[in-house]
Coordinates of all heavy atoms in Angstrom, one line a residue:
M277 N 103.5 99.4 108.8 CA 102.4 98.4 108.6 C 102.9 97.1 109.0 O 104.0 96.7 108.7 CB 102.0 98.4 107.2 CG 100.7 97.8 106.9 SD 100.2 98.0 105.2 CE 99.6 99.7 105.3
D278 N 102.2 96.3 109.8 CA 102.6 95.0 110.3 C 101.8 93.9 109.7 O 100.5 94.0 109.4 CB 102.4 94.9 111.8 CG 103.4 95.9 112.5 OD1 104.4 96.3 111.9 OD2 103.2 96.2 113.7
F279 N 102.4 92.8 109.4 CA 101.8 91.6 108.8 C 102.2 90.4 109.6 O 103.1 90.4 110.4 CB 102.3 91.4 107.3 CG 101.9 92.6 106.5 CD1 102.7 93.7 106.4 CD2 100.7 92.5 105.8 CE1 102.3 94.8 105.6 CE2 100.3 93.6 105.0 CZ 101.1 94.7 104.9
R280 N 101.5 89.3 109.4 CA 101.9 88.0 110.0 C 101.9 86.9 109.0 O 101.1 86.9 108.0 CB 100.9 87.7 111.2 CG 99.5 87.4 110.7 CD 98.7 87.1 112.0 NE 97.3 86.9 111.5 CZ 96.4 86.5 112.3 NH1 96.6 86.2 113.5 NH2 95.2 86.3 111.8
I281 N 102.8 86.0 109.2 CA 103.0 84.9 108.3 C 102.6 83.7 109.2 O 103.2 83.5 110.2 CB 104.5 84.7 107.8 CG1 104.9 86.0 107.1 CG2 104.6 83.5 106.9 CD1 106.4 86.1 106.9
T282 N 101.7 82.9 108.7 CA 101.1 81.8 109.4 C 101.0 80.6 108.4 O 101.1 80.8 107.2 CB 99.7 82.1 110.0 OG1 98.9 82.4 108.9 CG2 99.8 83.2 111.0
P283 N 100.9 79.4 109.0 CA 100.6 78.2 108.1 C 99.3 78.5 107.4 O 98.3 78.9 108.0 CB 100.6 77.0 109.0 CG 101.3 77.5 110.3 CD 101.1 79.0 110.4
H284 N 99.2 78.2 106.1 CA 98.0 78.3 105.3 C 97.1 77.2 105.8 O 97.4 76.0 105.7 CB 98.3 78.3 103.9 CG 97.2 78.7 103.0 ND1 96.1 77.9 102.8 CD2 97.0 79.9 102.3 CE1 95.3 78.6 102.0 NE2 95.8 79.8 101.7
S285 N 95.8 77.6 106.1 CA 94.9 76.6 106.6 C 94.5 75.6 105.5 O 94.1 74.5 105.8 CB 93.6 77.3 107.1 OG 93.0 78.0 106.1
G286 N 94.6 75.9 104.2 CA 94.2 75.0 103.2 C 95.3 74.1 102.7 O 95.1 73.5 101.6
S287 N 96.5 74.2 103.3 CA 97.6 73.4 102.9 C 97.9 72.2 103.8 O 97.4 72.2 105.0 CB 98.8 74.2 102.7 OG 99.4 74.6 104.0
A288 N 98.7 71.3 103.4 CA 99.1 70.2 104.2 C 100.5 70.5 104.7 O 101.4 69.7 104.7 CB 99.1 68.9 103.4
A289 N 100.7 71.7 105.3 CA 102.0 72.1 105.8 C 102.4 71.2 107.0 O 101.5 70.9 107.8 CB 101.9 73.6 106.3
P290 N 103.7 70.9 107.1 CA 104.1 70.1 108.2 C 104.0 71.0 109.5 O 104.0 72.2 109.4 CB 105.6 69.8 107.9 CG 106.0 70.8 106.9 CD 104.7 71.2 106.1
D291 N 104.0 70.3 110.6 CA 103.9 71.0 111.9 C 105.0 72.0 112.2 O 104.8 73.0 112.8 CB 103.8 70.1 113.1 CG 102.5 69.2 113.1 OD1 101.5 69.7 112.5 OD2 102.5 68.1 113.7
D292 N 106.1 71.8 111.6 CA 107.3 72.7 111.8 C 107.5 73.6 110.6 O 108.6 74.2 110.5 CB 108.6 71.8 112.0 CG 109.0 71.0 110.9 OD1 108.1 70.8 109.9 OD2 110.1 70.5 110.9
A293 N 106.5 73.9 109.8 CA 106.7 74.8 108.7 C 107.2 76.2 109.1 O 108.1 76.7 108.4 CB 105.3 74.9 107.9
I294 N 106.6 76.8 110.1 CA 107.0 78.1 110.5 C 108.5 78.0 111.0 O 109.3 79.0 110.8 CB 106.1 78.7 111.6 CG1 104.7 79.0 111.0 CG2 106.7 79.9 112.3 CD1 104.7 80.2 110.0
D295 N 108.8 77.0 111.8 CA 110.2 76.8 112.2 C 111.2 76.8 111.0 O 112.2 77.4 111.0 CB 110.4 75.6 113.0 CG 109.7 75.6 114.4 OD1 109.5 76.7 114.9 OD2 109.3 74.6 114.9
L296 N 110.8 76.0 110.0 CA 111.7 75.9 108.8 C 111.8 77.2 108.1 O 112.9 77.5 107.7 CB 111.1 74.8 107.9 CG 111.1 73.4 108.3 CD1 110.2 72.5 107.4 CD2 112.5 72.8 108.4
L297 N 110.7 77.9 108.0 CA 110.8 79.2 107.3 C 111.7 80.2 108.1 O 112.5 80.9 107.6 CB 109.4 79.8 107.1 CG 109.3 81.2 106.5 CD1 109.9 81.2 105.1 CD2 107.9 81.7 106.4
W298 N 111.4 80.2 109.4 CA 112.2 81.1 110.3 C 113.7 80.9 110.2 O 114.5 81.8 110.2 CB 111.7 81.0 111.7 CG 112.4 81.9 112.7 CD1 113.3 81.6 113.7 CD2 112.4 83.4 112.7 NE1 113.8 82.7 114.3 CE2 113.3 83.8 113.7 CE3 111.8 84.3 111.9 CZ2 113.5 85.1 114.0 CZ3 112.0 85.7 112.2 CH2 112.9 86.0 113.2
R299 N 114.1 79.6 110.1 CA 115.5 79.3 110.0 C 116.1 79.9 108.7 O 117.3 80.1 108.7 CB 115.7 77.8 110.1 CG 115.6 77.2 111.4 CD 115.9 75.7 111.5 NE 115.1 75.1 112.5 CZ 114.4 74.0 112.3 NH1 114.4 73.4 111.2 NH2 113.7 73.6 113.3
Q300 N 115.3 80.0 107.7 CA 115.8 80.5 106.4 C 115.7 82.0 106.2 O 116.3 82.6 105.4 CB 115.1 79.8 105.2 CG 115.3 78.3 105.2 CD 116.7 77.9 105.0 OE1 117.4 78.5 104.2 NE2 117.2 76.9 105.7
L301 N 114.8 82.6 107.0 CA 114.5 84.0 106.9 C 115.5 84.9 107.7 O 115.7 84.6 108.9 CB 113.1 84.2 107.4 CG 112.3 85.5 107.0 CD1 112.2 85.6 105.5 CD2 111.0 85.5 107.7
E302 N 116.0 85.9 107.1 CA 116.9 86.8 107.8 C 116.0 87.7 108.6 O 114.9 88.0 108.2 CB 117.7 87.6 106.8 CG 118.7 86.7 106.0 CD 119.4 87.5 104.9 OE1 119.4 88.7 104.9 OE2 119.9 86.8 104.0
A303 N 116.5 88.2 109.7 CA 115.7 89.1 110.6 C 115.4 90.4 109.9 O 114.4 91.0 110.2 CB 116.5 89.4 111.9
R304 N 116.1 90.8 108.9 CA 115.9 92.1 108.2 C 116.2 91.9 106.7 O 117.2 91.4 106.4 CB 116.7 93.2 108.8 CG 116.4 94.5 108.2 CD 117.3 95.6 108.8 NE 117.1 95.7 110.2 CZ 116.2 96.6 110.8 NH1 115.5 97.4 110.1 NH2 116.1 96.6 112.1
R305 N 115.2 92.3 105.9 CA 115.4 92.2 104.5 C 114.9 93.6 103.9 O 113.7 93.8 103.8 CB 114.6 91.1 103.8 CG 115.2 89.7 104.1 CD 114.4 88.7 103.3 NE 115.1 87.4 103.5 CZ 115.7 86.8 102.5 NH1 115.7 87.3 101.3 NH2 116.3 85.6 102.7
G306 N 115.9 94.4 103.6 CA 115.5 95.7 103.1 C 114.6 96.5 104.0 O 115.0 96.7 105.2
R307 N 113.4 96.8 103.6 CA 112.5 97.7 104.4 C 111.6 96.8 105.3 O 110.7 97.4 105.9 CB 111.7 98.6 103.5 CG 110.8 97.9 102.5 CD 110.2 98.9 101.6 NE 108.9 98.3 101.1 CZ 108.2 98.8 100.3 NH1 108.5 100.0 99.8 NH2 107.1 98.2 99.9
V308 N 111.8 95.5 105.4 CA 111.0 94.7 106.2 C 111.9 94.0 107.3 O 112.9 93.5 107.0 CB 110.4 93.5 105.3 CG1 109.5 92.7 106.2 CG2 109.6 94.1 104.2
R309 N 111.3 94.1 108.5 CA 112.0 93.4 109.6 C 111.1 92.3 110.1 O 109.9 92.5 110.2 CB 112.2 94.5 110.7 CG 113.0 93.9 111.9 CD 113.4 95.1 112.8 NE 112.3 95.9 113.3 CZ 111.6 95.7 114.4 NH1 112.0 94.7 115.2 NH2 110.6 96.4 114.7
F310 N 111.7 91.2 110.4 CA 110.9 90.0 110.9 C 111.2 89.6 112.3 O 112.3 89.8 112.8 CB 111.3 88.8 110.0 CG 110.9 89.0 108.5 CD1 111.8 89.5 107.6 CD2 109.6 88.6 108.1 CE1 111.4 89.7 106.3 CE2 109.2 88.8 106.8 CZ 110.2 89.4 105.9
A311 N 110.2 89.1 113.0 CA 110.4 88.6 114.4 C 109.5 87.4 114.6 O 108.4 87.3 114.0 CB 110.0 89.7 115.3
R312 N 110.0 86.5 115.3 CA 109.2 85.3 115.6 C 108.3 85.5 116.8 O 108.8 86.0 117.8 CB 110.2 84.1 115.9 CG 109.5 82.8 116.2 CD 108.9 82.2 115.0 NE 108.1 81.0 115.3 CZ 108.5 79.8 115.4 NH1 109.8 79.5 115.1 NH2 107.7 78.8 115.7
R313 N 107.0 85.2 116.7 CA 106.1 85.3 117.8 C 105.3 84.1 117.9 O 104.3 83.9 117.2 CB 105.1 86.5 117.5 CG 105.8 87.9 117.4 CD 106.2 88.4 118.8 NE 106.7 89.7 118.7 CZ 108.0 90.1 118.8 NH1 108.9 89.1 119.0 NH2 108.3 91.3 118.7
G314 N 105.7 83.1 118.7 CA 105.0 81.9 118.9 C 104.8 81.1 117.6 O 105.8 80.7 117.0
T315 N 103.6 80.9 117.2 CA 103.3 80.1 116.0 C 103.3 80.9 114.7 O 102.8 80.4 113.7 CB 102.0 79.3 116.2 OG1 101.0 80.2 116.3 CG2 102.1 78.4 117.4
E316 N 103.7 82.1 114.8 CA 103.7 82.9 113.5 C 105.0 83.8 113.5 O 105.7 83.9 114.5 CB 102.5 83.8 113.5 CG 102.4 84.9 114.6 CD 101.1 85.6 114.6 OE1 100.1 85.1 114.2 OE2 101.1 86.8 115.0
I317 N 105.2 84.3 112.3 CA 106.3 85.3 112.1 C 105.7 86.6 111.8 O 104.8 86.7 111.0 CB 107.2 84.8 110.9 CG1 107.9 83.5 111.3 CG2 108.3 85.9 110.6 CD1 108.6 82.8 110.1
R318 N 106.2 87.7 112.5 CA 105.7 89.0 112.2 C 106.6 89.7 111.2 O 107.8 89.5 111.3 CB 105.6 89.8 113.5 CG 104.7 89.2 114.6 CD 103.3 89.7 114.4 NE 102.4 89.1 115.4 CZ 102.1 89.5 116.5 NH1 102.5 90.7 116.9 NH2 101.2 88.9 117.3
A319 N 106.0 90.5 110.3 CA 106.8 91.2 109.4 C 106.4 92.7 109.6 O 105.2 93.0 109.4 CB 106.5 90.8 108.0
M320 N 107.4 93.5 109.9 CA 107.1 94.9 110.1 C 107.7 95.7 108.9 O 108.9 95.7 108.6 CB 107.8 95.4 111.4 CG 107.1 95.0 112.6 SD 107.2 93.2 113.1 CE 108.9 93.0 113.3
L321 N 106.8 96.3 108.1 CA 107.2 97.0 106.9 C 107.3 98.5 107.1 O 106.3 99.1 107.6 CB 106.1 96.7 105.8 CG 106.3 97.3 104.5 CD1 107.5 96.8 103.8 CD2 105.0 97.0 103.6
R322 N 108.4 99.0 106.8 CA 108.6 100.5 106.9 C 107.8 101.1 105.8 O 107.9 100.8 104.6 CB 110.1 100.8 106.7 CG 110.4 102.2 107.2 CD 111.9 102.5 107.1 NE 112.2 102.6 105.6 CZ 113.3 102.0 105.1 NH1 114.1 101.4 105.8 NH2 113.5 102.2 103.8
E323 N 106.9 102.0 106.1 CA 105.9 102.6 105.2 C 106.7 103.5 104.2 O 107.5 104.3 104.6 CB 104.9 103.4 105.9 CG 104.0 102.6 106.8 CD 102.7 102.4 106.2 OE1 102.4 102.8 105.1 OE2 101.9 101.7 106.9
D324 N 106.4 103.4 102.9 CA 106.9 104.3 101.9 C 105.9 104.5 100.8 O 106.2 105.0 99.8 CB 108.3 104.0 101.4 CG 108.3 102.7 100.6 OD1 107.3 102.0 100.6 OD2 109.4 102.4 100.0
T325 N 104.7 104.0 101.1 CA 103.6 104.2 100.1 C 102.9 105.6 100.3 O 102.9 106.0 101.4 CB 102.6 103.1 100.2 OG1 102.1 103.0 101.5 CG2 103.1 101.8 99.8
P326 N 102.5 106.2 99.3 CA 101.9 107.5 99.4 C 100.7 107.5 100.4 O 99.8 106.6 100.3 CB 101.4 107.8 98.0 CG 102.1 106.9 97.1 CD 102.5 105.7 97.9
V327 N 100.6 108.5 101.2 CA 99.5 108.6 102.2 C 98.2 108.8 101.4 O 97.1 108.5 101.9 CB 99.8 109.8 103.2 CG1 98.6 110.0 104.1 CG2 101.1 109.5 103.9
S328 N 98.3 109.3 100.2 CA 97.1 109.6 99.4 C 96.4 108.3 99.0 O 95.2 108.4 98.6 CB 97.4 110.5 98.2 OG 98.3 109.8 97.4
M329 N 97.1 107.2 99.1 CA 96.4 105.9 98.7 C 95.5 105.5 99.8 O 95.6 105.8 101.0 CB 97.5 104.8 98.6 CG 98.4 104.9 97.4 SD 99.5 103.5 97.5 CE 99.2 102.8 95.9
E330 N 94.4 104.7 99.4 CA 93.5 104.2 100.3 C 94.3 103.2 101.2 O 95.2 102.5 100.7 CB 92.4 103.4 99.6 CG 91.5 104.4 98.8 CD 90.7 105.3 99.6 OE1 90.2 104.8 100.7 OE2 90.4 106.4 99.2
S331 N 93.8 103.0 102.4 CA 94.5 102.1 103.3 C 94.5 100.7 102.8 O 95.5 99.9 103.0 CB 94.0 102.2 104.7 OG 92.6 101.8 104.8
D332 N 93.4 100.2 102.2 CA 93.4 98.8 101.7 C 94.4 98.6 100.5 O 95.0 97.6 100.4 CB 92.0 98.4 101.3 CG 91.4 99.3 100.3 OD1 91.7 100.4 100.1 OD2 90.5 98.8 99.6
E333 N 94.6 99.7 99.8 CA 95.6 99.6 98.7 C 97.0 99.5 99.3 O 97.8 98.7 98.8 CB 95.6 100.9 97.8 CG 94.3 100.9 96.9 CD 94.3 102.2 96.1 OE1 94.1 103.3 96.7 OE2 94.5 102.1 94.8
R334 N 97.3 100.3 100.3 CA 98.6 100.3 100.9 C 98.8 98.9 101.6 O 99.9 98.4 101.5 CB 98.7 101.4 102.0 CG 98.9 102.8 101.4 CD 99.3 103.8 102.4 NE 98.6 103.8 103.7 CZ 97.5 104.5 103.9 NH1 97.1 105.4 102.9 NH2 96.9 104.5 105.0
E335 N 97.8 98.4 102.2 CA 97.9 97.1 102.8 C 98.2 96.0 101.8 O 99.0 95.1 102.0 CB 96.6 96.8 103.5 CG 96.6 95.5 104.3 CD 95.2 95.4 105.1 OE1 95.0 96.1 106.0 OE2 94.4 94.5 104.6
E336 N 97.5 96.0 100.7 CA 97.8 95.0 99.6 C 99.2 95.1 99.1 O 99.8 94.1 98.8 CB 96.7 95.1 98.5 CG 96.9 94.0 97.5 CD 96.8 92.6 98.0 OE1 96.2 92.3 99.0 OE2 97.4 91.7 97.3
I337 N 99.7 96.3 98.9 CA 101.0 96.5 98.4 C 102.0 95.9 99.4 O 103.0 95.2 99.1 CB 101.3 98.0 98.1 CG1 100.6 98.4 96.8 CG2 102.8 98.2 97.9 CD1 100.6 99.9 96.6
G338 N 101.8 96.2 100.7 CA 102.7 95.7 101.7 C 102.6 94.2 101.8 O 103.7 93.5 102.0
R339 N 101.4 93.6 101.7 CA 101.3 92.2 101.8 C 102.1 91.5 100.6 O 102.7 90.5 100.8 CB 99.8 91.8 101.7 CG 99.5 90.3 102.0 CD 98.1 90.0 101.8 NE 97.8 89.8 100.4 CZ 98.1 88.8 99.7 NH1 98.8 87.8 100.2 NH2 97.7 88.7 98.4
R340 N 102.0 92.1 99.5 CA 102.7 91.6 98.3 C 104.2 91.6 98.5 O 105.0 90.7 98.1 CB 102.3 92.2 97.0 CG 100.9 91.8 96.6 CD 100.5 92.6 95.3 NE 99.1 92.4 95.0 CZ 98.7 91.6 94.1 NH1 99.6 91.0 93.3 NH2 97.4 91.5 93.9
V341 N 104.7 92.7 99.1 CA 106.2 92.8 99.4 C 106.6 91.7 100.3 O 107.6 91.0 100.0 CB 106.5 94.2 100.0 CG1 107.9 94.2 100.6 CG2 106.3 95.3 99.0
V342 N 105.8 91.4 101.4 CA 106.2 90.4 102.3 C 106.0 89.0 101.6 O 106.9 88.1 101.8 CB 105.3 90.4 103.6 CG1 105.5 89.2 104.5 CG2 105.5 91.7 104.3
L343 N 105.0 88.8 100.9 CA 104.8 87.5 100.2 C 105.9 87.3 99.2 O 106.4 86.1 99.1 CB 103.4 87.5 99.5 CG 103.0 86.3 98.8 CD1 102.9 85.1 99.8 CD2 101.7 86.4 98.0
D344 N 106.4 88.3 98.5 CA 107.5 88.1 97.6 C 108.8 87.7 98.3 O 109.5 86.9 97.8 CB 107.8 89.4 96.8 CG 106.7 89.7 95.7 OD1 106.0 88.7 95.4 OD2 106.7 90.8 95.2
I345 N 109.0 88.2 99.5 CA 110.2 87.8 100.3 C 110.0 86.3 100.7 O 111.0 85.5 100.5 CB 110.4 88.7 101.5 CG1 110.8 90.1 101.1 CG2 111.4 88.0 102.4 CD1 110.8 91.1 102.2
V346 N 108.8 85.9 101.1 CA 108.6 84.5 101.5 C 108.8 83.6 100.2 O 109.4 82.5 100.3 CB 107.2 84.3 102.1 CG1 106.9 82.9 102.3 CG2 107.1 85.1 103.4
R347 N 108.3 84.1 99.1 CA 108.5 83.3 97.8 C 110.0 83.1 97.5 O 110.4 82.0 97.2 CB 107.8 84.0 96.7 CG 108.0 83.3 95.3 CD 107.3 84.1 94.2 NE 105.8 83.9 94.3 CZ 104.9 84.8 94.6 NH1 105.3 86.1 94.8 NH2 103.6 84.5 94.7
E348 N 110.8 84.2 97.6 CA 112.2 84.1 97.4 C 112.8 83.0 98.3 O 113.7 82.2 97.9 CB 112.9 85.4 97.7 CG 112.8 86.4 96.6 CD 113.4 87.7 97.0 OE1 114.3 87.7 97.9 OE2 113.0 88.8 96.5
V349 N 112.5 83.1 99.6 CA 113.1 82.2 100.6 C 112.7 80.7 100.2 O 113.5 79.8 100.2 CB 112.6 82.5 102.0 CG1 113.0 81.5 103.0 CG2 113.3 83.9 102.4
C350 N 111.4 80.5 99.9 CA 110.9 79.2 99.6 C 111.5 78.7 98.3 O 111.9 77.5 98.2 CB 109.4 79.2 99.4 SG 108.5 79.4 101.0
D351 N 111.7 79.5 97.3 CA 112.4 79.1 96.0 C 113.8 78.7 96.3 O 114.3 77.8 95.5 CB 112.3 80.2 95.0 CG 110.9 80.5 94.4 OD1 110.0 79.6 94.7 OD2 110.7 81.5 93.7
A352 N 114.5 79.3 97.2 CA 115.9 79.0 97.5 C 116.1 77.8 98.5 O 117.2 77.3 98.6 CB 116.6 80.2 98.1
A353 N 115.0 77.4 99.1 CA 115.1 76.3 100.1 C 114.2 75.1 99.7 O 113.0 75.2 99.8 CB 114.7 76.8 101.5
P354 N 114.8 74.0 99.2 CA 113.9 72.9 98.7 C 113.0 72.3 99.8 O 112.0 71.7 99.4 CB 114.9 71.9 98.2 CG 116.3 72.3 98.7 CD 116.2 73.8 99.1
Q355 N 113.3 72.5 101.1 CA 112.5 71.9 102.1 C 111.2 72.8 102.4 O 110.4 72.4 103.2 CB 113.3 71.7 103.4 CG 113.7 73.0 104.1 CD 115.0 73.6 103.6 OE1 115.4 73.5 102.5 NE2 115.7 74.3 104.6
L356 N 111.1 73.9 101.7 CA 109.9 74.8 101.9 C 109.1 74.9 100.7 O 109.5 74.7 99.6 CB 110.4 76.2 102.2 CG 111.1 76.4 103.6 CD1 111.7 77.8 103.7 CD2 110.2 76.2 104.7
N357 N 107.8 75.1 100.9 CA 106.8 75.3 99.9 C 106.0 76.5 100.1 O 105.4 76.6 101.2 CB 105.9 74.0 99.9 CG 104.9 74.0 98.7 OD1 104.5 75.0 98.2 ND2 104.6 72.8 98.3
L358 N 105.9 77.4 99.2 CA 105.2 78.7 99.3 C 103.7 78.4 99.7 O 103.2 79.2 100.5 CB 105.3 79.5 98.1 CG 104.6 80.8 98.1 CD1 105.1 81.8 99.2 CD2 104.6 81.5 96.7
D359 N 103.2 77.4 99.2 CA 101.7 77.1 99.4 C 101.5 76.8 100.9 O 100.3 76.8 101.3 CB 101.3 75.8 98.6 CG 101.3 76.1 97.1 OD1 101.2 77.3 96.7 OD2 101.3 75.2 96.4
W360 N 102.5 76.6 101.7 CA 102.3 76.3 103.1 C 102.0 77.6 103.9 O 101.5 77.5 105.1 CB 103.5 75.7 103.7 CG 103.9 74.3 103.3 CD1 103.1 73.5 102.5 CD2 105.1 73.7 103.5 NE1 103.8 72.3 102.3 CE2 105.0 72.4 102.8 CE3 106.3 74.0 104.1 CZ2 106.1 71.5 102.9 CZ3 107.3 73.1 104.1 CH2 107.2 71.9 103.5
F361 N 102.2 78.7 103.4 CA 102.2 80.0 104.2 C 101.1 81.0 103.7 O 100.8 81.1 102.5 CB 103.6 80.6 104.1 CG 104.6 79.7 104.6 CD1 105.5 79.1 103.7 CD2 104.8 79.4 106.0 CE1 106.5 78.2 104.1 CE2 105.7 78.5 106.4 CZ 106.6 78.0 105.5
A362 N 100.6 81.7 104.6 CA 99.6 82.8 104.3 C 100.2 84.1 104.9 O 100.8 84.0 106.0 CB 98.3 82.5 105.0
V363 N 100.0 85.2 104.2 CA 100.5 86.5 104.7 C 99.2 87.4 104.8 O 98.5 87.5 103.9 CB 101.5 87.1 103.7 CG1 101.8 88.5 104.2 CG2 102.7 86.3 103.6
S364 N 99.0 87.9 106.0 CA 97.9 88.8 106.2 C 98.3 90.0 107.1 O 99.3 89.9 107.8 CB 96.7 88.0 106.9 OG 97.2 87.5 108.1
A365 N 97.5 91.0 107.0 CA 97.7 92.2 107.8 C 97.4 91.9 109.3 O 96.5 91.1 109.6 CB 96.8 93.3 107.3
L366 N 98.2 92.4 110.1 CA 98.1 92.2 111.5 C 97.1 93.3 112.0 O 97.4 94.5 111.9 CB 99.4 92.3 112.2 CG 99.4 92.0 113.7 CD1 99.0 90.5 114.0 CD2 100.8 92.2 114.3
R367 N 96.0 92.9 112.5 CA 95.0 93.9 113.0 C 94.7 93.8 114.4 O 94.8 92.9 115.1 CB 93.7 93.7 112.2 CG 93.9 94.0 110.8 CD 92.7 93.7 110.0 NE 93.1 93.6 108.6 CZ 92.3 94.0 107.6 NH1 91.2 94.5 107.9 NH2 92.7 94.0 106.4

């Protein structure tokens, strides 16, 4: 399952918010791999949720996993603010 991290449209994120996050984000964190793609960061999540779950449930679980990683990075880096970022499924 793939997700994207972008600047949140409702925040006053600086123009370099994605650059700042990318500098702090490791390319791989557990079951999630990250890659920079222009103005967004892609998060590729290795699936381990039951196939019996509805796809929207699996998507929400995956989004929360990625969001929790972004939260950890923002909490550890005073120059970042979690409110600057949005995590959504890549469709």
